[in-house]
Amino acid sequence: MAKILIAEDEKAINDLIRINLTLAGYECKQVFDGQEALNTAFENKFDLVLLDVMLPKLSGFEIIQELKGTPVIFVTARSAVSDRLKGLKLGADDYIVKPFEMLELIERVKAVLRRTKGETRQFEFDDICIHLDDRRVFKNGIEIALKPKEYDLLEAFINNRNIALSREKLISLVWDFDYEGDTRTVDVHVQQLRRKLGLSERIQTVYKTGYRLQL
Ligand code: CA
């Protein structure tokens, strides 16, 4: 889990960022002035610092020069182009101007972490690792070639894991809602997934209904 330092002196904004990033799955530490930000950044290793520019004691522009190697996104009310340029010149990875949409902040955080950590969205269980961004599947570290619909079916199972899914539901998730084909198409693809990935135990047949990925 990526660790993020939030340096922002307006408590309400700091709290709002913390709550949203925590919900998005990040571990957050809050600080409220520049000196505290610097001390905390030296004591712990963070994957990213969200750095307000106008902070008590030390400004964000002063702090970033000490944070060598730690990715930084400036979060600031200053919107002047010269400030933006200064922030980026000082090595910030991105720059967000207040007020901002929380979803935008989260997307930018994700983007910076992807760039800086090479972080990709992955889902793992047993010896299987699925790279969700580029739709690749690995078993024991060896890539397994899946056809597009087999991959879509696998992702549908993962998104609905531990839930019994009818063949009709699976068709609506993987094929088109108005798909007219035989529900046996689902059976064939399930068999392929079981065989290729060794999931005969995990993908269970649910009597008279369909299938369930049991994790
Ligand atoms: Ca401030």
Side-chain angles (χ1 to χ4, degrees), residues 192-215:
Q192 289 299 326
L193 275 188
R194 281 176 169 161
R195 186 180 63 77
K196 289 183 175 178
L197 298 174
L199 295 177
S200 47
E201 313 251 304
R202 289 287 187 195
I203 302 180
Q204 301 172 347
T205 302
V206 182
Y207 181 61
K208 282 192 174 168
T209 304
Y211 300 96
R212 173 177 53 227
L213 176 65
Q214 192 67 46
L215 293 184

mmCIF file with all atom_site columns, all heavy atoms in Angstrom, residues 192-215:
data_model
loop_
_atom_site.group_PDB
_atom_site.id
_atom_site.type_symbol
_atom_site.label_atom_id
_atom_site.label_alt_id
_atom_site.label_comp_id
_atom_site.label_asym_id
_atom_site.label_entity_id
_atom_site.label_seq_id
_atom_site.pdbx_PDB_ins_code
_atom_site.Cartn_x
_atom_site.Cartn_y
_atom_site.Cartn_z
_atom_site.occupancy
_atom_site.B_iso_or_equiv
_atom_site.pdbx_formal_charge
_atom_site.auth_seq_id
_atom_site.auth_comp_id
_atom_site.auth_asym_id
_atom_site.auth_atom_id
_atom_site.pdbx_PDB_model_num
ATOM 1   N N   . GLN A 1 192 ? -12.321 -23.380 -20.575 1.00 0.00 ? 192 GLN A N   1
ATOM 2   C CA  . GLN A 1 192 ? -11.010 -22.902 -21.019 1.00 0.00 ? 192 GLN A CA  1
ATOM 3   C C   . GLN A 1 192 ? -10.260 -22.218 -19.882 1.00 0.00 ? 192 GLN A C   1
ATOM 4   O O   . GLN A 1 192 ? -9.068  -22.440 -19.697 1.00 0.00 ? 192 GLN A O   1
ATOM 5   C CB  . GLN A 1 192 ? -11.161 -21.921 -22.192 1.00 0.00 ? 192 GLN A CB  1
ATOM 6   C CG  . GLN A 1 192 ? -11.595 -22.565 -23.495 1.00 0.00 ? 192 GLN A CG  1
ATOM 7   C CD  . GLN A 1 192 ? -10.597 -23.591 -23.996 1.00 0.00 ? 192 GLN A CD  1
ATOM 8   O OE1 . GLN A 1 192 ? -9.386  -23.445 -23.815 1.00 0.00 ? 192 GLN A OE1 1
ATOM 9   N NE2 . GLN A 1 192 ? -11.098 -24.668 -24.592 1.00 0.00 ? 192 GLN A NE2 1
ATOM 10  N N   . LEU A 1 193 ? -10.971 -21.399 -19.124 1.00 0.00 ? 193 LEU A N   1
ATOM 11  C CA  . LEU A 1 193 ? -10.321 -20.712 -17.997 1.00 0.00 ? 193 LEU A CA  1
ATOM 12  C C   . LEU A 1 193 ? -9.841  -21.717 -16.967 1.00 0.00 ? 193 LEU A C   1
ATOM 13  O O   . LEU A 1 193 ? -8.732  -21.611 -16.445 1.00 0.00 ? 193 LEU A O   1
ATOM 14  C CB  . LEU A 1 193 ? -11.304 -19.741 -17.318 1.00 0.00 ? 193 LEU A CB  1
ATOM 15  C CG  . LEU A 1 193 ? -11.463 -18.340 -17.895 1.00 0.00 ? 193 LEU A CG  1
ATOM 16  C CD1 . LEU A 1 193 ? -12.324 -17.513 -16.950 1.00 0.00 ? 193 LEU A CD1 1
ATOM 17  C CD2 . LEU A 1 193 ? -10.115 -17.659 -18.096 1.00 0.00 ? 193 LEU A CD2 1
ATOM 18  N N   . ARG A 1 194 ? -10.690 -22.668 -16.659 1.00 0.00 ? 194 ARG A N   1
ATOM 19  C CA  . ARG A 1 194 ? -10.296 -23.696 -15.684 1.00 0.00 ? 194 ARG A CA  1
ATOM 20  C C   . ARG A 1 194 ? -9.058  -24.437 -16.149 1.00 0.00 ? 194 ARG A C   1
ATOM 21  O O   . ARG A 1 194 ? -8.130  -24.680 -15.377 1.00 0.00 ? 194 ARG A O   1
ATOM 22  C CB  . ARG A 1 194 ? -11.450 -24.696 -15.508 1.00 0.00 ? 194 ARG A CB  1
ATOM 23  C CG  . ARG A 1 194 ? -12.576 -24.211 -14.613 1.00 0.00 ? 194 ARG A CG  1
ATOM 24  C CD  . ARG A 1 194 ? -13.675 -25.252 -14.630 1.00 0.00 ? 194 ARG A CD  1
ATOM 25  N NE  . ARG A 1 194 ? -14.695 -24.999 -13.610 1.00 0.00 ? 194 ARG A NE  1
ATOM 26  C CZ  . ARG A 1 194 ? -15.906 -25.545 -13.679 1.00 0.00 ? 194 ARG A CZ  1
ATOM 27  N NH1 . ARG A 1 194 ? -16.247 -26.341 -14.689 1.00 0.00 ? 194 ARG A NH1 1
ATOM 28  N NH2 . ARG A 1 194 ? -16.793 -25.298 -12.717 1.00 0.00 ? 194 ARG A NH2 1
ATOM 29  N N   . ARG A 1 195 ? -9.056  -24.768 -17.421 1.00 0.00 ? 195 ARG A N   1
ATOM 30  C CA  . ARG A 1 195 ? -7.949  -25.581 -17.946 1.00 0.00 ? 195 ARG A CA  1
ATOM 31  C C   . ARG A 1 195 ? -6.660  -24.751 -18.012 1.00 0.00 ? 195 ARG A C   1
ATOM 32  O O   . ARG A 1 195 ? -5.623  -25.160 -17.509 1.00 0.00 ? 195 ARG A O   1
ATOM 33  C CB  . ARG A 1 195 ? -8.327  -26.083 -19.343 1.00 0.00 ? 195 ARG A CB  1
ATOM 34  C CG  . ARG A 1 195 ? -7.317  -27.060 -19.960 1.00 0.00 ? 195 ARG A CG  1
ATOM 35  C CD  . ARG A 1 195 ? -7.759  -27.515 -21.347 1.00 0.00 ? 195 ARG A CD  1
ATOM 36  N NE  . ARG A 1 195 ? -7.834  -26.420 -22.297 1.00 0.00 ? 195 ARG A NE  1
ATOM 37  C CZ  . ARG A 1 195 ? -6.774  -25.857 -22.892 1.00 0.00 ? 195 ARG A CZ  1
ATOM 38  N NH1 . ARG A 1 195 ? -5.553  -26.274 -22.615 1.00 0.00 ? 195 ARG A NH1 1
ATOM 39  N NH2 . ARG A 1 195 ? -6.928  -24.858 -23.748 1.00 0.00 ? 195 ARG A NH2 1
ATOM 40  N N   . LYS A 1 196 ? -6.766  -23.558 -18.592 1.00 0.00 ? 196 LYS A N   1
ATOM 41  C CA  . LYS A 1 196 ? -5.552  -22.770 -18.807 1.00 0.00 ? 196 LYS A CA  1
ATOM 42  C C   . LYS A 1 196 ? -4.926  -22.287 -17.502 1.00 0.00 ? 196 LYS A C   1
ATOM 43  O O   . LYS A 1 196 ? -3.716  -22.162 -17.404 1.00 0.00 ? 196 LYS A O   1
ATOM 44  C CB  . LYS A 1 196 ? -5.865  -21.560 -19.694 1.00 0.00 ? 196 LYS A CB  1
ATOM 45  C CG  . LYS A 1 196 ? -6.146  -21.921 -21.146 1.00 0.00 ? 196 LYS A CG  1
ATOM 46  C CD  . LYS A 1 196 ? -6.385  -20.650 -21.965 1.00 0.00 ? 196 LYS A CD  1
ATOM 47  C CE  . LYS A 1 196 ? -6.549  -20.989 -23.445 1.00 0.00 ? 196 LYS A CE  1
ATOM 48  N NZ  . LYS A 1 196 ? -6.823  -19.770 -24.248 1.00 0.00 ? 196 LYS A NZ  1
ATOM 49  N N   . LEU A 1 197 ? -5.776  -21.977 -16.533 1.00 0.00 ? 197 LEU A N   1
ATOM 50  C CA  . LEU A 1 197 ? -5.256  -21.379 -15.296 1.00 0.00 ? 197 LEU A CA  1
ATOM 51  C C   . LEU A 1 197 ? -5.301  -22.331 -14.101 1.00 0.00 ? 197 LEU A C   1
ATOM 52  O O   . LEU A 1 197 ? -4.957  -21.951 -12.985 1.00 0.00 ? 197 LEU A O   1
ATOM 53  C CB  . LEU A 1 197 ? -6.044  -20.096 -14.966 1.00 0.00 ? 197 LEU A CB  1
ATOM 54  C CG  . LEU A 1 197 ? -5.939  -18.986 -16.019 1.00 0.00 ? 197 LEU A CG  1
ATOM 55  C CD1 . LEU A 1 197 ? -6.857  -17.825 -15.669 1.00 0.00 ? 197 LEU A CD1 1
ATOM 56  C CD2 . LEU A 1 197 ? -4.496  -18.490 -16.122 1.00 0.00 ? 197 LEU A CD2 1
ATOM 57  N N   . GLY A 1 198 ? -5.735  -23.563 -14.328 1.00 0.00 ? 198 GLY A N   1
ATOM 58  C CA  . GLY A 1 198 ? -5.805  -24.522 -13.223 1.00 0.00 ? 198 GLY A CA  1
ATOM 59  C C   . GLY A 1 198 ? -6.824  -24.105 -12.174 1.00 0.00 ? 198 GLY A C   1
ATOM 60  O O   . GLY A 1 198 ? -6.560  -24.152 -10.978 1.00 0.00 ? 198 GLY A O   1
ATOM 61  N N   . LEU A 1 199 ? -7.988  -23.662 -12.628 1.00 0.00 ? 199 LEU A N   1
ATOM 62  C CA  . LEU A 1 199 ? -8.987  -23.117 -11.696 1.00 0.00 ? 199 LEU A CA  1
ATOM 63  C C   . LEU A 1 199 ? -10.194 -24.039 -11.513 1.00 0.00 ? 199 LEU A C   1
ATOM 64  O O   . LEU A 1 199 ? -11.276 -23.576 -11.154 1.00 0.00 ? 199 LEU A O   1
ATOM 65  C CB  . LEU A 1 199 ? -9.472  -21.747 -12.194 1.00 0.00 ? 199 LEU A CB  1
ATOM 66  C CG  . LEU A 1 199 ? -8.421  -20.634 -12.213 1.00 0.00 ? 199 LEU A CG  1
ATOM 67  C CD1 . LEU A 1 199 ? -9.008  -19.354 -12.805 1.00 0.00 ? 199 LEU A CD1 1
ATOM 68  C CD2 . LEU A 1 199 ? -7.901  -20.356 -10.798 1.00 0.00 ? 199 LEU A CD2 1
ATOM 69  N N   . SER A 1 200 ? -9.996  -25.325 -11.735 1.00 0.00 ? 200 SER A N   1
ATOM 70  C CA  . SER A 1 200 ? -11.172 -26.203 -11.659 1.00 0.00 ? 200 SER A CA  1
ATOM 71  C C   . SER A 1 200 ? -11.789 -26.213 -10.254 1.00 0.00 ? 200 SER A C   1
ATOM 72  O O   . SER A 1 200 ? -12.986 -26.403 -10.101 1.00 0.00 ? 200 SER A O   1
ATOM 73  C CB  . SER A 1 200 ? -10.819 -27.610 -12.122 1.00 0.00 ? 200 SER A CB  1
ATOM 74  O OG  . SER A 1 200 ? -9.625  -28.017 -11.515 1.00 0.00 ? 200 SER A OG  1
ATOM 75  N N   . GLU A 1 201 ? -10.973 -25.975 -9.225  1.00 0.00 ? 201 GLU A N   1
ATOM 76  C CA  . GLU A 1 201 ? -11.531 -25.915 -7.872  1.00 0.00 ? 201 GLU A CA  1
ATOM 77  C C   . GLU A 1 201 ? -12.122 -24.533 -7.575  1.00 0.00 ? 201 GLU A C   1
ATOM 78  O O   . GLU A 1 201 ? -13.138 -24.421 -6.896  1.00 0.00 ? 201 GLU A O   1
ATOM 79  C CB  . GLU A 1 201 ? -10.437 -26.182 -6.837  1.00 0.00 ? 201 GLU A CB  1
ATOM 80  C CG  . GLU A 1 201 ? -9.564  -27.364 -7.151  1.00 0.00 ? 201 GLU A CG  1
ATOM 81  C CD  . GLU A 1 201 ? -9.835  -28.526 -6.221  1.00 0.00 ? 201 GLU A CD  1
ATOM 82  O OE1 . GLU A 1 201 ? -9.741  -28.314 -5.000  1.00 0.00 ? 201 GLU A OE1 1
ATOM 83  O OE2 . GLU A 1 201 ? -10.160 -29.617 -6.731  1.00 0.00 ? 201 GLU A OE2 1
ATOM 84  N N   . ARG A 1 202 ? -11.439 -23.526 -8.089  1.00 0.00 ? 202 ARG A N   1
ATOM 85  C CA  . ARG A 1 202 ? -11.839 -22.148 -7.766  1.00 0.00 ? 202 ARG A CA  1
ATOM 86  C C   . ARG A 1 202 ? -13.128 -21.741 -8.484  1.00 0.00 ? 202 ARG A C   1
ATOM 87  O O   . ARG A 1 202 ? -13.983 -21.076 -7.898  1.00 0.00 ? 202 ARG A O   1
ATOM 88  C CB  . ARG A 1 202 ? -10.724 -21.175 -8.157  1.00 0.00 ? 202 ARG A CB  1
ATOM 89  C CG  . ARG A 1 202 ? -9.489  -21.255 -7.270  1.00 0.00 ? 202 ARG A CG  1
ATOM 90  C CD  . ARG A 1 202 ? -9.769  -20.652 -5.935  1.00 0.00 ? 202 ARG A CD  1
ATOM 91  N NE  . ARG A 1 202 ? -8.571  -20.561 -5.117  1.00 0.00 ? 202 ARG A NE  1
ATOM 92  C CZ  . ARG A 1 202 ? -8.613  -20.340 -3.811  1.00 0.00 ? 202 ARG A CZ  1
ATOM 93  N NH1 . ARG A 1 202 ? -9.772  -20.225 -3.190  1.00 0.00 ? 202 ARG A NH1 1
ATOM 94  N NH2 . ARG A 1 202 ? -7.512  -20.242 -3.119  1.00 0.00 ? 202 ARG A NH2 1
ATOM 95  N N   . ILE A 1 203 ? -13.236 -22.079 -9.748  1.00 0.00 ? 203 ILE A N   1
ATOM 96  C CA  . ILE A 1 203 ? -14.470 -21.734 -10.466 1.00 0.00 ? 203 ILE A CA  1
ATOM 97  C C   . ILE A 1 203 ? -15.435 -22.893 -10.293 1.00 0.00 ? 203 ILE A C   1
ATOM 98  O O   . ILE A 1 203 ? -15.307 -23.940 -10.923 1.00 0.00 ? 203 ILE A O   1
ATOM 99  C CB  . ILE A 1 203 ? -14.213 -21.446 -11.957 1.00 0.00 ? 203 ILE A CB  1
ATOM 100 C CG1 . ILE A 1 203 ? -13.196 -20.317 -12.121 1.00 0.00 ? 203 ILE A CG1 1
ATOM 101 C CG2 . ILE A 1 203 ? -15.533 -21.057 -12.644 1.00 0.00 ? 203 ILE A CG2 1
ATOM 102 C CD1 . ILE A 1 203 ? -12.881 -19.969 -13.571 1.00 0.00 ? 203 ILE A CD1 1
ATOM 103 N N   . GLN A 1 204 ? -16.370 -22.707 -9.392  1.00 0.00 ? 204 GLN A N   1
ATOM 104 C CA  . GLN A 1 204 ? -17.278 -23.780 -9.024  1.00 0.00 ? 204 GLN A CA  1
ATOM 105 C C   . GLN A 1 204 ? -18.556 -23.716 -9.855  1.00 0.00 ? 204 GLN A C   1
ATOM 106 O O   . GLN A 1 204 ? -19.039 -22.640 -10.186 1.00 0.00 ? 204 GLN A O   1
ATOM 107 C CB  . GLN A 1 204 ? -17.641 -23.654 -7.534  1.00 0.00 ? 204 GLN A CB  1
ATOM 108 C CG  . GLN A 1 204 ? -16.410 -23.721 -6.638  1.00 0.00 ? 204 GLN A CG  1
ATOM 109 C CD  . GLN A 1 204 ? -16.726 -23.415 -5.185  1.00 0.00 ? 204 GLN A CD  1
ATOM 110 O OE1 . GLN A 1 204 ? -17.807 -22.922 -4.864  1.00 0.00 ? 204 GLN A OE1 1
ATOM 111 N NE2 . GLN A 1 204 ? -15.775 -23.707 -4.310  1.00 0.00 ? 204 GLN A NE2 1
ATOM 112 N N   . THR A 1 205 ? -19.060 -24.898 -10.146 1.00 0.00 ? 205 THR A N   1
ATOM 113 C CA  . THR A 1 205 ? -20.353 -24.961 -10.810 1.00 0.00 ? 205 THR A CA  1
ATOM 114 C C   . THR A 1 205 ? -21.436 -24.818 -9.749  1.00 0.00 ? 205 THR A C   1
ATOM 115 O O   . THR A 1 205 ? -21.389 -25.480 -8.717  1.00 0.00 ? 205 THR A O   1
ATOM 116 C CB  . THR A 1 205 ? -20.518 -26.311 -11.527 1.00 0.00 ? 205 THR A CB  1
ATOM 117 O OG1 . THR A 1 205 ? -19.441 -26.453 -12.450 1.00 0.00 ? 205 THR A OG1 1
ATOM 118 C CG2 . THR A 1 205 ? -21.838 -26.376 -12.274 1.00 0.00 ? 205 THR A CG2 1
ATOM 119 N N   . VAL A 1 206 ? -22.358 -23.904 -9.978  1.00 0.00 ? 206 VAL A N   1
ATOM 120 C CA  . VAL A 1 206 ? -23.475 -23.735 -9.036  1.00 0.00 ? 206 VAL A CA  1
ATOM 121 C C   . VAL A 1 206 ? -24.707 -24.393 -9.665  1.00 0.00 ? 206 VAL A C   1
ATOM 122 O O   . VAL A 1 206 ? -25.160 -23.964 -10.738 1.00 0.00 ? 206 VAL A O   1
ATOM 123 C CB  . VAL A 1 206 ? -23.740 -22.244 -8.761  1.00 0.00 ? 206 VAL A CB  1
ATOM 124 C CG1 . VAL A 1 206 ? -24.872 -22.087 -7.748  1.00 0.00 ? 206 VAL A CG1 1
ATOM 125 C CG2 . VAL A 1 206 ? -22.481 -21.563 -8.248  1.00 0.00 ? 206 VAL A CG2 1
ATOM 126 N N   . TYR A 1 207 ? -25.164 -25.415 -9.010  1.00 0.00 ? 207 TYR A N   1
ATOM 127 C CA  . TYR A 1 207 ? -26.205 -26.269 -9.564  1.00 0.00 ? 207 TYR A CA  1
ATOM 128 C C   . TYR A 1 207 ? -27.405 -25.462 -10.062 1.00 0.00 ? 207 TYR A C   1
ATOM 129 O O   . TYR A 1 207 ? -27.943 -24.625 -9.352  1.00 0.00 ? 207 TYR A O   1
ATOM 130 C CB  . TYR A 1 207 ? -26.637 -27.264 -8.480  1.00 0.00 ? 207 TYR A CB  1
ATOM 131 C CG  . TYR A 1 207 ? -27.710 -28.241 -8.928  1.00 0.00 ? 207 TYR A CG  1
ATOM 132 C CD1 . TYR A 1 207 ? -27.462 -29.125 -9.985  1.00 0.00 ? 207 TYR A CD1 1
ATOM 133 C CD2 . TYR A 1 207 ? -28.950 -28.279 -8.307  1.00 0.00 ? 207 TYR A CD2 1
ATOM 134 C CE1 . TYR A 1 207 ? -28.443 -30.015 -10.397 1.00 0.00 ? 207 TYR A CE1 1
ATOM 135 C CE2 . TYR A 1 207 ? -29.933 -29.163 -8.718  1.00 0.00 ? 207 TYR A CE2 1
ATOM 136 C CZ  . TYR A 1 207 ? -29.666 -30.025 -9.772  1.00 0.00 ? 207 TYR A CZ  1
ATOM 137 O OH  . TYR A 1 207 ? -30.640 -30.895 -10.184 1.00 0.00 ? 207 TYR A OH  1
ATOM 138 N N   . LYS A 1 208 ? -27.780 -25.692 -11.262 1.00 0.00 ? 208 LYS A N   1
ATOM 139 C CA  . LYS A 1 208 ? -28.944 -25.072 -11.913 1.00 0.00 ? 208 LYS A CA  1
ATOM 140 C C   . LYS A 1 208 ? -28.818 -23.559 -12.080 1.00 0.00 ? 208 LYS A C   1
ATOM 141 O O   . LYS A 1 208 ? -29.784 -22.895 -12.456 1.00 0.00 ? 208 LYS A O   1
ATOM 142 C CB  . LYS A 1 208 ? -30.235 -25.385 -11.143 1.00 0.00 ? 208 LYS A CB  1
ATOM 143 C CG  . LYS A 1 208 ? -30.740 -26.792 -11.410 1.00 0.00 ? 208 LYS A CG  1
ATOM 144 C CD  . LYS A 1 208 ? -32.139 -26.964 -10.892 1.00 0.00 ? 208 LYS A CD  1
ATOM 145 C CE  . LYS A 1 208 ? -32.691 -28.325 -11.294 1.00 0.00 ? 208 LYS A CE  1
ATOM 146 N NZ  . LYS A 1 208 ? -33.924 -28.659 -10.590 1.00 0.00 ? 208 LYS A NZ  1
ATOM 147 N N   . THR A 1 209 ? -27.674 -23.001 -11.764 1.00 0.00 ? 209 THR A N   1
ATOM 148 C CA  . THR A 1 209 ? -27.548 -21.550 -11.873 1.00 0.00 ? 209 THR A CA  1
ATOM 149 C C   . THR A 1 209 ? -26.452 -21.155 -12.857 1.00 0.00 ? 209 THR A C   1
ATOM 150 O O   . THR A 1 209 ? -26.720 -20.605 -13.924 1.00 0.00 ? 209 THR A O   1
ATOM 151 C CB  . THR A 1 209 ? -27.229 -20.936 -10.495 1.00 0.00 ? 209 THR A CB  1
ATOM 152 O OG1 . THR A 1 209 ? -28.236 -21.329 -9.582  1.00 0.00 ? 209 THR A OG1 1
ATOM 153 C CG2 . THR A 1 209 ? -27.153 -19.428 -10.569 1.00 0.00 ? 209 THR A CG2 1
ATOM 154 N N   . GLY A 1 210 ? -25.225 -21.423 -12.449 1.00 0.00 ? 210 GLY A N   1
ATOM 155 C CA  . GLY A 1 210 ? -24.107 -20.976 -13.277 1.00 0.00 ? 210 GLY A CA  1
ATOM 156 C C   . GLY A 1 210 ? -22.804 -21.286 -12.586 1.00 0.00 ? 210 GLY A C   1
ATOM 157 O O   . GLY A 1 210 ? -22.529 -22.446 -12.266 1.00 0.00 ? 210 GLY A O   1
ATOM 158 N N   . TYR A 1 211 ? -22.056 -20.241 -12.284 1.00 0.00 ? 211 TYR A N   1
ATOM 159 C CA  . TYR A 1 211 ? -20.715 -20.439 -11.739 1.00 0.00 ? 211 TYR A CA  1
ATOM 160 C C   . TYR A 1 211 ? -20.400 -19.410 -10.660 1.00 0.00 ? 211 TYR A C   1
ATOM 161 O O   . TYR A 1 211 ? -20.999 -18.363 -10.580 1.00 0.00 ? 211 TYR A O   1
ATOM 162 C CB  . TYR A 1 211 ? -19.667 -20.323 -12.851 1.00 0.00 ? 211 TYR A CB  1
ATOM 163 C CG  . TYR A 1 211 ? -19.845 -21.337 -13.943 1.00 0.00 ? 211 TYR A CG  1
ATOM 164 C CD1 . TYR A 1 211 ? -20.536 -21.018 -15.114 1.00 0.00 ? 211 TYR A CD1 1
ATOM 165 C CD2 . TYR A 1 211 ? -19.332 -22.625 -13.802 1.00 0.00 ? 211 TYR A CD2 1
ATOM 166 C CE1 . TYR A 1 211 ? -20.689 -21.965 -16.115 1.00 0.00 ? 211 TYR A CE1 1
ATOM 167 C CE2 . TYR A 1 211 ? -19.498 -23.576 -14.792 1.00 0.00 ? 211 TYR A CE2 1
ATOM 168 C CZ  . TYR A 1 211 ? -20.183 -23.232 -15.951 1.00 0.00 ? 211 TYR A CZ  1
ATOM 169 O OH  . TYR A 1 211 ? -20.348 -24.152 -16.940 1.00 0.00 ? 211 TYR A OH  1
ATOM 170 N N   . ARG A 1 212 ? -19.409 -19.789 -9.862  1.00 0.00 ? 212 ARG A N   1
ATOM 171 C CA  . ARG A 1 212 ? -18.935 -18.855 -8.835  1.00 0.00 ? 212 ARG A CA  1
ATOM 172 C C   . ARG A 1 212 ? -17.423 -19.009 -8.740  1.00 0.00 ? 212 ARG A C   1
ATOM 173 O O   . ARG A 1 212 ? -16.910 -20.135 -8.692  1.00 0.00 ? 212 ARG A O   1
ATOM 174 C CB  . ARG A 1 212 ? -19.563 -19.205 -7.483  1.00 0.00 ? 212 ARG A CB  1
ATOM 175 C CG  . ARG A 1 212 ? -18.974 -18.373 -6.328  1.00 0.00 ? 212 ARG A CG  1
ATOM 176 C CD  . ARG A 1 212 ? -19.684 -18.688 -5.007  1.00 0.00 ? 212 ARG A CD  1
ATOM 177 N NE  . ARG A 1 212 ? -19.685 -20.110 -4.734  1.00 0.00 ? 212 ARG A NE  1
ATOM 178 C CZ  . ARG A 1 212 ? -20.764 -20.805 -4.344  1.00 0.00 ? 212 ARG A CZ  1
ATOM 179 N NH1 . ARG A 1 212 ? -21.915 -20.225 -4.145  1.00 0.00 ? 212 ARG A NH1 1
ATOM 180 N NH2 . ARG A 1 212 ? -20.674 -22.101 -4.147  1.00 0.00 ? 212 ARG A NH2 1
ATOM 181 N N   . LEU A 1 213 ? -16.719 -17.868 -8.702  1.00 0.00 ? 213 LEU A N   1
ATOM 182 C CA  . LEU A 1 213 ? -15.294 -17.889 -8.396  1.00 0.00 ? 213 LEU A CA  1
ATOM 183 C C   . LEU A 1 213 ? -15.168 -17.810 -6.880  1.00 0.00 ? 213 LEU A C   1
ATOM 184 O O   . LEU A 1 213 ? -15.503 -16.780 -6.271  1.00 0.00 ? 213 LEU A O   1
ATOM 185 C CB  . LEU A 1 213 ? -14.564 -16.730 -9.061  1.00 0.00 ? 213 LEU A CB  1
ATOM 186 C CG  . LEU A 1 213 ? -13.064 -16.624 -8.700  1.00 0.00 ? 213 LEU A CG  1
ATOM 187 C CD1 . LEU A 1 213 ? -12.267 -17.806 -9.204  1.00 0.00 ? 213 LEU A CD1 1
ATOM 188 C CD2 . LEU A 1 213 ? -12.477 -15.331 -9.245  1.00 0.00 ? 213 LEU A CD2 1
ATOM 189 N N   . GLN A 1 214 ? -14.721 -18.894 -6.281  1.00 0.00 ? 214 GLN A N   1
ATOM 190 C CA  . GLN A 1 214 ? -14.619 -18.942 -4.827  1.00 0.00 ? 214 GLN A CA  1
ATOM 191 C C   . GLN A 1 214 ? -13.183 -18.626 -4.420  1.00 0.00 ? 214 GLN A C   1
ATOM 192 O O   . GLN A 1 214 ? -12.260 -19.352 -4.751  1.00 0.00 ? 214 GLN A O   1
ATOM 193 C CB  . GLN A 1 214 ? -15.024 -20.358 -4.351  1.00 0.00 ? 214 GLN A CB  1
ATOM 194 C CG  . GLN A 1 214 ? -15.230 -20.465 -2.855  1.00 0.00 ? 214 GLN A CG  1
ATOM 195 C CD  . GLN A 1 214 ? -16.443 -19.669 -2.392  1.00 0.00 ? 214 GLN A CD  1
ATOM 196 O OE1 . GLN A 1 214 ? -17.497 -19.740 -3.003  1.00 0.00 ? 214 GLN A OE1 1
ATOM 197 N NE2 . GLN A 1 214 ? -16.281 -18.905 -1.315  1.00 0.00 ? 214 GLN A NE2 1
ATOM 198 N N   . LEU A 1 215 ? -13.002 -17.512 -3.710  1.00 0.00 ? 215 LEU A N   1
ATOM 199 C CA  . LEU A 1 215 ? -11.640 -17.152 -3.261  1.00 0.00 ? 215 LEU A CA  1
ATOM 200 C C   . LEU A 1 215 ? -11.575 -17.103 -1.747  1.00 0.00 ? 215 LEU A C   1
ATOM 201 O O   . LEU A 1 215 ? -12.562 -16.858 -1.095  1.00 0.00 ? 215 LEU A O   1
ATOM 202 C CB  . LEU A 1 215 ? -11.239 -15.791 -3.834  1.00 0.00 ? 215 LEU A CB  1
ATOM 203 C CG  . LEU A 1 215 ? -11.059 -15.710 -5.353  1.00 0.00 ? 215 LEU A CG  1
ATOM 204 C CD1 . LEU A 1 215 ? -10.572 -14.334 -5.749  1.00 0.00 ? 215 LEU A CD1 1
ATOM 205 C CD2 . LEU A 1 215 ? -10.088 -16.764 -5.857  1.00 0.00 ? 215 LEU A CD2 1
#
